[in-house]
Amino acid sequence: MKRIISLDSDLFFQADIKQLFAIFDNFKATTIFGLAREQQPVYRHILHMYRDRHAGTKAGEPPPDGATGFNSGVMLIDLQRMRDSKKYNKLLDNNAVMEIARKYTFQGHLGDQDFYSLLNLDYPDFFHVLPCSWNRQLCTWWRDHGYAEVFNLYHNCSETIHVYHGNCETKMPNE
């Protein structure tokens, strides 16, 4: 097996999944993962200590130019490139990841999603950013918990939606 798509169970597809598989064709030679940006300012929050010490950083900033972090509800993975990448495989050592986490004063709480978001800060060439329409996250928790002023900078998605993601136990639009 060379390529897979990993999906959360709280998704509602509006489009044929074949269209999602076609996105692998847009990967660059160094791309291993395809993920949509996190559509809440969660990484703005998690990276606040680093951001306070590094004015002008893109870490945690909103799209289109910020390193918003990723949401792993819909994830394309090129397993062959993952296996073949010496650079990526060196990063699987716990010490390597801990060094990156220390650099960014990163203390995440979202498991695999934190891993990809953290790696992206130093290794963006591993990642292809999926359009927001392929992982339209419905959660609005951060809007109501201190980030109302910037929330829409992260949450905005004006594209035709292909996949709704009912994260934070949010109801789907058809419910």
Side-chain angles (χ1 to χ4, degrees):
M1 190 172 297
K2 294 183 180 186
R3 295 174 169 173
I4 62 169
I5 295 178
S6 173
L7 303 169
D8 278 5
S9 61
D10 56 351
L11 302 174
F12 182 70
F13 274 76
Q14 301 283 94
D16 189 328
I17 197 167
K18 275 200 250 180
Q19 295 174 30
L20 186 57
F21 269 99
I23 294 175
F24 278 112
D25 295 337
N26 299 328
F27 279 21
K28 295 177 184 169
T30 58
T31 303
I32 297 171
F33 305 101
L35 297 111
R37 296 176 185 272
E38 174 58 47
Q39 294 168 13
Q40 296 198 74
V42 61
Y43 292 104
R44 180 183 193 96
H45 180 79
I46 289 174
L47 293 163
H48 77 275
M49 286 187 277
Y50 180 82
R51 293 168 51 76
D52 289 347
R53 290 191 315 268
H54 297 88
T57 184
K58 292 186 179 198
E61 283 292 297
D65 298 323
T68 59
F70 290 117
N71 182 285
S72 60
V74 175
M75 185 168 48
L76 283 65
I77 308 169
D78 189 310
L79 295 172
Q80 192 60 53
R81 288 190 187 152
M82 181 186 280
R83 291 180 198 109
D84 294 344
S85 174
K86 289 178 177 45
K87 188 168 152 184
Y88 174 76
N89 282 288
K90 284 182 182 177
L91 293 169
L92 296 180
D93 176 73
N94 190 45
N95 292 329
V97 175
M98 291 303 293
E99 279 302 310
I100 300 170
R102 272 191 221 94
K103 174 182 174 180
Y104 290 100
T105 322
F106 189 97
Q107 294 182 359
H109 62 284
L110 297 170
D112 67 322
Q113 178 172 309
D114 287 339
F115 175 73
Y116 306 120
S117 298
L118 181 60
L119 281 189
N120 183 57
L121 294 170
D122 282 353
Y123 300 94
D125 53 318
F126 290 154
F127 298 92
H128 174 82
V129 178
L130 295 179
C132 59
S133 59
W134 283 105
N135 184 354
R136 179 56 173 140
Q137 299 140 50
L138 300 174
C139 184
T140 58
W141 191 89
W142 287 91
R143 178 188 64 202
D144 305 326
H145 291 86
Y147 289 90
E149 284 184 28
V150 296
F151 182 80
N152 284 332
L153 296 174
Y154 295 84
H155 198 70
N156 183 41
C157 182
S158 58
E159 302 170 13
T160 301
I161 306 305
H162 301 302
V163 179
Y164 285 105
H165 186 178
N167 53 339
C168 302
E169 300 179 19
T170 308
K171 289 187 178 200
M172 295 292 174
N174 63 337
E175 291 183 305

